[in-house]
Amino acid sequence: AGHGAPPLRPSRALSTAECAAAFDPATVPAAIRTDEIAVDPRQVADIVAARLAADDRITLHLGTRVVAAAAAPGGFTVECAAAGGRRVLEAPVVVNCLWEDRVRVDTTLGLVPDRRSLMRYKAAIRFAVPPGVLERELPSATFVLGPYGDLVSQGDGRYYLSWYPVCK
């Protein structure tokens, strides 16, 4: 951990009293305390967007759908479709960051997974609780049994709640 952050502590099981102080014992009978580092994805997105806009070696093709990719001399070609029509882009390096469309595009390049792929949809919301509404701050927690999800307290009454509605 950098920037003066304290070192991460080893994980440990909470005592029955510690667990009951944070959670309803009927719902959460046991818990493990872990140190984790969380970042605000909006801040990361702002940093990445600023860097992309500032670097003349990067060309953004927003509003574009990748149709297929192929190996070519000196790199790759990527066939794209946009409102203005189709075009083929050439690049020495291509990184597939398409999430739910990743396997389809990899397959057009001949990269077929050796096993069945599983894509999970993660839903999330951000919310803020006005001061004085809660008796105490909600604890950050990740639930790993049953419907998976997590709650991250970002301080000042701001929270990030996420879960996987299917494919748990």
Side-chain angles (χ1 to χ4, degrees):
H3 299 34
L8 296 177
R9 298 171 294 189
S11 300
R12 70 171 181 83
L14 293 182
S15 70
T16 303
E18 289 174 310
C19 189
F23 305 102
D24 176 1
T27 306
V28 180
I32 297 172
R33 177 176 303 278
T34 60
D35 275 357
E36 295 184 18
I37 298 171
V39 297
D40 184 341
R42 291 174 296 186
Q43 290 178 334
V44 173
D46 290 345
I47 292 167
V48 170
R51 182 68 179 118
L52 290 172
D55 194 325
D56 60 358
R57 297 171 298 172
I58 298 172
T59 303
L60 298 177
H61 299 277
L62 305 175
T64 301
R65 181 177 180 275
V66 175
V67 176
F76 299 89
T77 60
V78 179
E79 182 183 352
C80 301
R86 289 185 178 234
R87 64 178 169 208
V88 175
L89 305 173
E90 296 180 11
V93 176
V94 173
V95 178
N96 184 345
C97 300
L98 297 175
W99 296 100
E100 71 275 359
D101 214 17
R102 179 183 55 83
V103 172
R104 183 192 62 79
V105 172
D106 279 356
T107 301
T108 68
L109 189 59
L111 301 172
V112 179
D114 59 355
R115 60 181 165 69
R116 229 176 120 202
S117 295
L118 169 67
M119 292 297 292
R120 294 188 285 177
Y121 173 76
K122 183 177 185 178
I125 60 172
R126 294 179 185 284
F127 63 94
V129 178
V133 171
L134 298 174
E135 291 181 20
R136 62 187 167 98
E137 183 176 323
L138 299 173
S140 293
T142 299
F143 298 93
V144 294
L145 296 176
Y148 175 81
D150 56 8
L151 173 69
V152 177
S153 172
Q154 296 180 315
D156 300 331
R158 295 178 303 121
Y159 295 91
Y160 170 81
L161 174 68
S162 68
W163 67 98
Y164 291 101
V166 295
C167 298
K168 301 172 199 131

